[in-house]
Amino acid sequence: MAEENIKLDRSSERMDEKSGLWLNVFKRLRKSKTSMFGLFIVAVLVFLTVFAPLIAPHDPIVGQLALRHNAPSADYLFGTDSQGRDVFSRILYGAKITVQIGVISVGIALIIGTLLGVLAGYYGKKIDMIIMRLMDIMLAFPTILLALAIVSILGPSLTNAMIAVGVVNIPKFARIVRSSVLSVKESEYVDAAISIGCTDLQIITRHILPNCLAPIIVQATLTIGTAILEAAGLSFLGLGAQPPMAEWGAMLSDARGYMRQAPWSVIYPGVAIMITVLGFNLLGDGLRDALDPRLKE
């Protein structure tokens, strides 16, 4: 019973330390106006993702050709596109696709990149050399060119575009996780875990990865903005989201031939992409500063 009580006390202490750490992170983040502005943009994007069907005044897919290229008005706040569809409704529904792109593509890069980075950093030697040389080869190609090559092989679709964007961002996570693991594995608590007979899996999952979370979180936040841009670029080229899907890059592609006739059909999707990427970048910069252990209150 005494041993169980000691274990419970230790676990509660760890929980208190973790909650205190994240509370301090939020306090530091709150001091930065730009970071809070980025958090506000991301929160609005998530809100639109959830409530777009309730907010959108019109169907984002079905349009009326008689209403094509109508200027912004009370009925159509952002005007209509070449198919007579409400641009405002398509922007709202496009927010859901944008969040989906960011989460799934970055999730692919994060999981695979973290696994490769841990293997390279923890085991080193030949495994490290093979993995990192592979990452160097991937980094030698321009990101959009490599993504184009992957989508060309898999076929044009939003799913394949997310896979391609995820794959091209794997080296970012692999390199940053490797460097973090190399630093953490030299710590005394890792040596203590080895001395008491902990397995490699236990050491990695309990002692190394939890102490590498800060750079991983920052990198993931910053990469979401990049992933959204890359996926929008693929959709603009016709290799990502396919018509009539309300994706912002595809909307730009559809409207590029009507820039003079209906400039609003180009401006609003472009501004939506710009603001979204700006929000994630500002939030990522703020998290990087808030999670920096060298910064003290």
Side-chain angles (χ1 to χ4, degrees):
M1 290 294 293
E3 292 180 357
E4 292 181 358
N5 290 333
I6 292 172
K7 289 181 180 179
L8 288 174
D9 290 339
R10 289 178 178 176
S11 62
S12 62
E13 288 176 2
R14 289 175 183 173
M15 291 295 292
D16 291 339
E17 289 177 359
K18 290 180 180 179
S19 61
L21 171 64
W22 290 109
L23 182 61
N24 289 333
V25 168
F26 180 73
K27 287 180 179 178
R28 293 175 186 168
L29 187 67
R30 194 171 55 182
K31 291 180 179 179
S32 172
K33 293 182 179 179
T34 55
S35 302
M36 294 307 295
F37 180 62
L39 181 61
F40 171 76
I41 293 174
V42 173
V44 170
L45 183 67
V46 174
F47 175 82
L48 295 179
T49 298
V50 176
F51 296 103
L54 300 177
I55 302 173
H58 300 282
D59 191 306
I61 304 299
V62 180
Q64 302 179 47
L65 290 178
L67 301 175
R68 66 196 305 263
H69 294 155
N70 274 12
S73 62
D75 291 331
Y76 299 95
L77 295 179
F78 290 174
T80 60
D81 62 7
S82 60
Q83 303 298 319
R85 298 169 297 197
D86 180 33
V87 175
F88 178 68
S89 298
R90 289 176 64 78
I91 292 288
L92 293 177
Y93 276 87
K96 180 178 180 179
I97 299 174
T98 299
V99 171
Q100 180 183 356
I101 290 170
V103 172
I104 294 178
S105 58
V106 172
I108 293 171
L110 188 150
I111 293 172
I112 300 176
T114 299
L115 177 61
L116 294 176
V118 167
L119 292 175
Y122 186 77
Y123 291 104
K125 299 180 180 179
K126 290 185 178 180
I127 294 178
D128 182 24
M129 184 187 69
I130 292 172
I131 292 176
M132 297 318 296
R133 295 299 77 76
L134 178 61
M135 297 299 102
D136 290 339
I137 291 172
M138 293 179 67
L139 288 171
F141 292 92
T143 303
I144 190 64
L145 181 61
L146 184 58
L148 283 170
I150 295 172
V151 175
S152 298
I153 294 172
L154 298 177
S157 72
L158 181 61
T159 300
N160 292 339
M162 289 188 290
I163 293 173
V165 172
V167 170
V168 299
N169 284 296
I170 288 174
K172 295 180 181 179
F173 289 93
R175 290 169 70 92
I176 197 168
V177 171
R178 173 184 176 271
S179 63
S180 298
V181 171
L182 287 173
S183 175
V184 172
K185 79 172 186 177
E186 301 298 331
S187 304
E188 293 180 356
Y189 55 83
V190 175
D191 293 334
I194 295 173
S195 66
I196 63 176
C198 291
T199 63
D200 289 347
L201 182 60
Q202 290 175 328
I203 294 171
I204 290 171
T205 55
R206 295 181 183 178
H207 302 288
I208 292 181
L209 275 181
N211 290 285
C212 298
L213 282 180
I216 293 174
I217 292 172
V218 172
Q219 185 62 50
T221 307
L222 292 171
T223 305
I224 288 177
T226 304
I228 291 171
L229 273 179
E230 292 168 349
L234 292 174
S235 296
F236 182 81
L237 296 173
L239 297 175
Q242 300 298 305
M245 187 175 291
E247 197 274 335
W248 295 341
M251 290 173 65
L252 287 173
S253 179
D254 179 66
R256 61 182 171 177
Y258 309 98
M259 291 181 65
R260 294 185 178 180
Q261 186 177 355
W264 53 84
S265 59
V266 177
I267 292 173
Y268 291 115
V271 171
I273 294 173
M274 181 194 71
I275 292 176
T276 301
V277 174
L278 175 65
F280 280 106
N281 287 343
L282 292 177
L283 180 59
D285 288 338
L287 285 174
R288 180 175 55 197
D289 295 336
L291 290 167
D292 191 338
R294 294 170 295 181
L295 296 178
K296 301 294 182 181
E297 291 183 317

